[in-house]
Every structure is written in structure tokens, then in C-alpha cells.
Amino acid sequence: MIEVKGLNKKFNSLHVLKDVDLKVEKGEVVVIIGPSGSGKSTLLRCLNLLEVPEGGDVIFEGIKINDKNIDINSIRQRMGMVFQSFNLFPNMNVIENITLSPVKLKKVSLDDAKNKAISLLKSVGLEDKANYFPSKLSGGQKQRVAIARALAMEPDVMLFDEPTSALDPEMVKEVLNVMKKLAEDGMTMVIVTHEMNFAKEVGDRIVFMDGGTIVEEGTPEEIFNNPKSDRLKEFLSHF
């Protein structure tokens, strides 16, 4: 579904991604781990061109999306994105946050969009919060609304950028449970996270990054129980 070839990204003189290659199959859950500053979030943000790479290609469902002739906004509608900081619209209630994109971008009727939103809120355990504004929600609730909002566009893939890092520990679990259910339902996902137990449990494939490169990748069993590189062994020793 996604193929990254020879990806390079720089911020001024800082070379953040160095010739990165990655493939994500349909229905696969790929979890990217690694120390802070290793390029994980930058790689994720290159997948939907929130960061534009200087070199290499990003191919999504057979389309080279960093081609200047591609309408990236139409591609992004098929790639749900969930950020660390929720990014909900503070002046809209929960149901308005979720229905905005399907109505505006997909021309879904407001009634249909609301019905879908309510069903998504049920699936994330928040149907009683439909008329609440974000300021009245906990961090975990905001993140679950953000997931519901991304799912309302019926994306082909979901990208998660450290979705629990801004949450208190007791709220982490409620968000991870929603993501586990998505994995069970067969959603293709690419997840950047520091939650190693979650990575172990949900990932089909774990990708370990350090210094802007992919050092090692494999099944959770291979990565956590039989790491090959010294750098990965050292990284895992902190958990």
C-alpha cells in the first residue's frame, strides 16, 4: 500500500532522514520505534507530505505522491492522521469536529455524516460526549475524538504520530485500546510510539530507527526477543 524509496529529508544542515526504504502492506500494522531525534515522526510526516522530502519517492497505492502534478489533498483524504496534540477545532463541539471534513470534502449529507459520527463515537466509547466542546474533555477523550474524526473520512490507512505522548499514564490505555480494536478490524496502520508493550502486542512488524536510518526491522518476536544490532539492544535495555 505504501512504498518509500531512498527517502532523504534535511532541516537546514541537519540530515534527518538518510536513504530510508520502507514498505507497508495492506492490512499491516507497522510500528516505528527509536530514540528521540531518530527521524521517526519526520518519516511518518513524509508519508502524507506534511514534510516534503528532498530526495526519494513516496508511493501510495501505486501513485508517486511527491510528484508535483499530484493533488496531495485528494491523497490525504485517504490517509487518516492522528497527532500528539489532538488538533481538534476548539470552537466546534465533538460532532461538528467529526462531520466537518466528510461534509466539506466528500460532500456527504449532514444527516449521513452525523449518523456516521455517532456510530464512530460509540466505537470509541464517547457517544455521550457528542455535544461537548474540546475544552470539556480529558486528554484521552480528545485523542479518541481525533481518531474518530480521522476515521470519518473512511481512510485506507491510519498514521499515528506518538498518539499517547501528551497523555497522563491513566489515559494512555483508553487510546491504545481503540487502536488495538482498529488493528483487529484490519485497518492498515503506521504508528510512531514509545509504548513498547503496545508495539509488541499490536505490531505485525517493528521498525527500529536511529540517526535517520532504519537500523533493524522484523516481527515483534525478532525485535524484542532476538535483537541483532548493538544499538537496538542498548535502546531496549532502557525499557
Side-chain angles (χ1 to χ4, degrees), residues 51-231:
E51 298 293 353
V52 179
E54 273 81 31
D57 291 327
V58 181
I59 297 156
F60 174 61
E61 295 184 331
I63 298 165
K64 181 178 154 185
I65 66 168
N66 55 322
D67 185 312
K68 61 181 189 306
N69 299 317
I70 291 296
D71 173 10
I72 189 58
N73 289 322
S74 70
I75 299 286
R76 284 185 186 136
Q77 289 179 31
R78 288 149 52 194
M79 304 174 100
M81 179 101 180
V82 177
F83 301 88
Q84 294 178 38
S85 52
F86 326 127
N87 290 10
L88 298 176
F89 299 111
N91 59 328
M92 294 181 177
N93 67 21
V94 163
I95 208 98
E96 290 166 339
N97 261 284
I98 295 173
T99 55
L100 179 70
S101 291
V103 170
K104 283 248 192 284
L105 298 173
K106 292 186 100 174
K107 307 298 183 218
V108 174
S109 77
L110 187 55
D111 282 348
D112 286 350
K114 277 185 174 167
N115 289 336
K116 171 89 178 175
I118 287 161
S119 126
L120 285 166
L121 283 173
K122 274 189 186 148
S123 74
V124 298
L126 290 174
E127 64 268 39
D128 57 334
K129 305 291 187 203
N131 297 313
Y132 280 52
F133 282 83
S135 59
K136 297 285 185 254
L137 301 176
S138 71
Q141 290 168 336
K142 285 178 193 169
Q143 196 57 295
R144 285 184 282 156
V145 172
I147 292 171
R149 180 178 63 177
L151 290 171
M153 290 296 285
E154 300 181 334
D156 298 341
V157 62
M158 287 283 284
L159 309 176
F160 291 89
D161 188 8
E162 298 192 27
T164 58
S165 65
L167 301 179
D168 293 334
E170 67 267 26
M171 292 172 186
V172 168
K173 194 169 179 206
E174 60 192 44
V175 173
L176 295 183
N177 284 341
V178 170
M179 293 169 67
K180 277 179 198 165
K181 186 171 181 308
L182 281 179
E184 286 161 11
D185 293 345
M187 173 62 78
T188 309
M189 300 200 279
V190 185
I191 304 166
V192 170
T193 187
H194 290 293
E195 301 286 337
M196 293 301 134
N197 287 332
F198 173 73
K200 234 178 260 190
E201 201 178 325
V202 174
D204 295 309
R205 189 152 45 93
I206 311 294
V207 172
F208 171 63
M209 290 189 72
D210 189 41
T213 64
I214 292 176
V215 177
E216 205 169 321
E217 59 180 298
T219 63
E221 166 77 18
E222 289 164 341
I223 292 295
F224 291 107
N225 298 347
N226 190 24
K228 293 183 175 61
S229 64
D230 290 341
R231 184 65 190 95

